Amino acid sequence: MSTLKADTIQSTGGGAATLTKQSAAKVWLNLNGTGTIAVRDSFNVSGVSDGGTGEYVTSFTSSFDDANYSHSHTNITNDGQFGFTTNTEFAQAAGSILQRNGYWSGVSGENGSSGDSLYFYIQEHGDLA
């Protein structure tokens, strides 16, 4: 039996090795979505754009092999309330995802309308291209 021990694994080009056909999250994001949006930390995210109130487009550094990857997210308001993604503003592509976040009726005085998220987290699972 052989044992492989390594501190760093690089691609043949000298950069970070790309995970493919693995179960680990291929994308994750921790975003402050209020005011001027700011990425707190991320993995495999090339950028996030602000599309308006509660709307964020996250672009991936390495795309998935198709748009059928598994997406999950959590978003939390300034006052600690959990939100949801509105069905009319959700677009999942191999290289990016668009979401518009809203809040339940009565939360923060809103009635299911869009709202910015103080804490916006996403996780994506699937096969990279």
Side-chain angles (χ1 to χ4, degrees):
M1 181 163 111
S2 299
T3 300
L4 174 66
K5 295 182 179 183
D7 293 321
T8 303
I9 298 176
Q10 293 183 338
S11 69
T12 56
T18 301
L19 294 175
T20 57
K21 309 294 182 195
Q22 302 282 325
S23 297
K26 302 304 187 308
V27 174
W28 57 262
L29 170 69
N30 177 340
L31 177 78
N32 178 345
T34 60
T36 302
I37 64 172
V39 174
R40 292 185 184 99
D41 203 358
S42 67
F43 175 74
N44 195 25
V45 172
S46 61
V48 181
S49 60
D50 189 346
T53 303
E55 184 176 294
Y56 313 109
V57 178
T58 305
S59 298
F60 311 140
T61 304
S62 297
S63 296
F64 287 91
D65 60 2
D66 59 34
N68 296 318
Y69 52 90
S70 174
H71 165 76
S72 61
H73 85 282
T74 301
N75 57 300
I76 304 171
T77 66
N78 287 335
D79 59 2
Q81 301 296 318
F82 288 93
F84 63 93
T85 298
T86 62
N87 291 334
T88 57
E89 295 294 336
F90 180 81
Q92 190 167 322
S96 65
I97 190 163
L98 174 146
Q99 284 185 244
R100 177 169 287 162
N101 298 301
Y103 300 97
W104 300 111
S105 178
V107 174
S108 301
E110 299 180 348
N111 293 310
S113 60
S114 295
D116 287 338
S117 300
L118 178 60
Y119 296 97
F120 177 73
Y121 309 108
I122 66 169
Q123 305 84 39
E124 315 298 343
H125 293 263
D127 295 330
L128 296 178

